[in-house]
Amino acid sequence: MQHHHSPADSATLHTHHDHHNHHGHHHHHHVDPTQMGTVYIVAIVINLLFVAAETVAGLIGHSMGLLSDAGHNLSDVFCLLLAMVALKLSQTHATKRFTYGYRKSSILISLLNAIILLVAVGGIVVESLRKISQPASVDGTLVTWTAAAAIVVNSFTAWMLSRRQHDINTRGAFLHMLADTLVSAAVVVSGIVITHTGWTLIDPIMGLVIAAVILVSTWQLLSESLRMSVDAVPEDIDPDAIVALMRQTDGVLDIHHLHIWPISTTETALTAHVVIADSSQLDSITHALKTLLAAHGIAHSTLELETPASHCDHHDC
């Protein structure tokens, strides 16, 4: 259903598209990237130092719980690093070849993050099962104190990340840190049990519980990343609701050929054909629709406006 404008009409339409595209950007909730970068750097440094300490403690105390937790914390550091890279890439500008910059790579990074976590889970399960078949003595007190320190480090990192969760990468990092805090609490429990009862089997059992907790939190991240990487409509956007809102706009008769897809983990684009009653309202309707879409988290919208007279029934228009 192509709209056959005169060249003058066409020029007007495109100029206004561009103008309102810029207008739309201001409605999208942007977070200061420098501030977020600092949060990531602080989180990475704290967690790296802790991984080193936990590895040493795990080796000294022969604790699978501590070593698996250190391994998982190391994968978290990597996840934080990747999330920071994703943040930088989502700020990149368009080039002639990459017309959206490298923003899409932030989605691929969230997918990679989820896969790394699944590998970490596999490692913990294998090692815990080995420990069940070949039990070793564990220093309960050392385990308890190290895990208690982990609770402090992980919950502080989770708190820092919790303030910006509309980005799947940050939400992924936050989820890992939250899972880690729970995991460390479980390790504290096993440390206390070992100290008071000498029942060392609880250490690998806790390892398996930890693996299950991480798997559950990773699954959501993995499925969402997969969906976004094949251009599915982002989770927080309801296409039916968007169409209904667009149709309620004054002068709009119908909406069709609608496409909504993620440009990056934080930005969404939309294209649509809009049938309008009166071509003299072209500018005001475009403005109203773009403002509406931007308010609902769609900053990049391209609208093709047409009148009922320009309708055609071919499948390609």
Side-chain angles (χ1 to χ4, degrees), residues 117-251:
L117 268 167
L118 288 177
V119 171
V121 168
I124 294 172
V125 170
V126 168
E127 202 44 50
S128 297
L129 291 174
R130 193 183 65 79
K131 271 275 165 110
I132 289 172
S133 60
Q134 303 163 356
S137 62
V138 178
D139 183 338
T141 319
L142 182 72
V143 171
T144 310
W145 282 108
T146 314
I151 293 176
V152 176
V153 173
N154 292 329
S155 55
F156 176 67
T157 311
W159 172 78
M160 282 199 300
L161 294 168
S162 68
R163 290 174 296 173
R164 183 203 183 224
Q165 281 196 70
H166 62 265
D167 169 18
I168 190 178
N169 278 305
T170 309
R171 198 163 78 241
F174 167 76
L175 267 177
H176 303 330
M177 288 303 164
L178 195 63
D180 277 6
T181 309
L182 299 173
V183 160
S184 304
V187 175
V188 167
V189 171
S190 72
I192 292 169
V193 170
I194 289 168
T195 308
H196 293 283
T197 67
W199 187 49
T200 53
L201 201 62
I202 192 167
D203 184 53
I205 289 171
M206 278 297 178
L208 291 173
V209 170
I210 288 168
V213 170
I214 302 163
L215 187 65
V216 171
S217 64
T218 306
W219 200 252
Q220 171 67 21
L221 186 72
L222 180 69
S223 59
E224 200 176 332
S225 305
L226 273 171
R227 283 196 296 274
M228 287 176 89
S229 59
V230 293
D231 283 349
V233 177
E235 294 261 292
D236 55 346
I237 288 173
D238 176 357
D240 294 336
I242 294 287
V243 170
L245 284 167
M246 289 173 78
R247 282 191 175 134
Q248 283 162 23
T249 307
D250 285 342

Side-chain angles (χ1 to χ4, degrees), residues 41-51 153-154 156-157 160:
I41 290 166
V42 170
I44 288 166
V45 170
I46 294 173
N47 283 278
L48 261 181
L49 290 171
F50 185 70
V51 165
V153 173
N154 292 329
F156 176 67
T157 311
M160 282 199 300

